[in-house]
Amino acid sequence: MDERHTTNKKQIGIIAFQGGVSEHGTLCRTIGLEARPVRAIEDMRGLTHLIVPGGESTVIGRFLLQTGLKDAILDRWKQAGLYLFGTCAGAILLGKNASPYSLNCIDVVLDRNAYGSQLHSFSKNIKTTLGDESFPAVFIRAPKITSAGEGIAILATHEGNPVLCEKNRVLLSTFHPELTHDTRIHNYFLFDMK
Ligand code: GLN
């Protein structure tokens, strides 16, 4: 096991109302770290990293609002250095303007369902800045990132649109790394993001 695992004090949470919760948990476990489900403000205690999974952004967003987690997440991100990773619906929620429930914590505008319906879901090997080997990216009713503001680091694109990007401890992917066995993006989130 990577020695970073034995010395770290990471506490990982996954927003667990709906969507790809267990898949993210499994990938974290593959890396050697446990992640716990987050459904209430109390579950946020001590978290250093929080994953907002794919699923249905309207459903997840409504729960975030009703439980007070939306404000708690923003607060811990701003005040306590919490790292955030949103995949697909999670990216819609962390980014700007794509949903009435968006947290607007990264200057990235997304267009929901921009590739079409479930039938237009697809998988594609894409190049990323995380290594020479391409990444098997699974897009399921994915959003498109239509604009990325100043200083956003773009780690991968597909047909000219960013699909993996980050700034200020917020990482977004419009595809689903948790549906693969490739741990590189989760490793990046958990260990390498500044
Ligand atoms: N289309 C969904 C939404 O708008 C996102 C799909 C997904 O997370 N795979 O919330």
Side-chain angles (χ1 to χ4, degrees):
M1 192 184 284
D2 190 317
E3 66 166 23
R4 294 179 297 183
H5 297 101
T6 51
T7 52
N8 81 78
K9 300 256 187 304
K10 291 184 200 306
Q11 289 201 40
I12 309 162
I14 306 173
I15 294 294
F17 297 114
Q18 187 261 337
V21 181
S22 62
E23 291 83 353
H24 276 290
T26 303
L27 213 58
C28 290
R29 214 164 297 125
T30 307
I31 293 173
L33 296 171
E34 277 304 316
R36 63 176 196 252
V38 173
R39 298 189 189 90
I41 293 179
E42 307 82 81
D43 302 329
M44 295 279 294
R45 196 169 306 131
L47 283 191
T48 57
H49 291 75
L50 179 67
I51 297 173
V52 187
E56 196 53 53
S57 53
T58 309
V59 175
I60 301 170
R62 248 184 229 149
F63 275 116
L64 291 180
L65 200 59
Q66 280 166 12
T67 53
L69 274 168
K70 179 177 177 178
D71 287 340
I73 294 168
L74 284 170
D75 198 55
R76 281 199 69 87
W77 169 63
K78 284 183 198 149
Q79 312 291 340
L82 178 69
Y83 285 83
L84 299 170
F85 179 19
T87 54
C88 203
I92 290 170
L93 288 168
L94 295 180
K96 265 172 83 172
N97 301 350
S99 153
Y101 302 102
S102 291
L103 274 68
N104 297 327
C105 49
I106 181 166
D107 186 12
V108 163
V109 180
L110 300 101
D111 183 12
R112 279 184 74 192
N113 300 323
Y115 296 96
S117 69
Q118 187 81 18
L119 281 176
H120 299 103
S121 299
F122 60 98
S123 163
K124 183 91 209 262
N125 286 328
I126 59 169
K127 284 260 158 243
T128 75
T129 59
L130 304 180
D132 292 337
E133 212 178 303
S134 62
F135 194 95
V138 182
F139 294 85
I140 302 172
R141 285 191 307 123
K144 253 183 206 168
I145 291 176
T146 52
S147 83
E150 208 175 309
I152 305 282
I154 295 173
L155 311 183
T157 60
H158 171 61
E159 292 176 348
N161 292 91
V163 292
L164 180 65
C165 61
E166 62 141 307
K167 188 177 175 186
N168 289 343
R169 301 186 310 283
V170 181
L171 177 66
L172 303 187
S173 75
T174 61
F175 56 94
H176 290 272
E178 78 285 6
L179 296 182
T180 71
H181 300 291
D182 196 319
T183 55
R184 279 178 290 166
I185 294 175
H186 283 69
N187 255 313
Y188 180 74
F189 171 58
L190 295 168
F191 294 105
D192 299 327
M193 259 173 83
K194 296 291 169 297

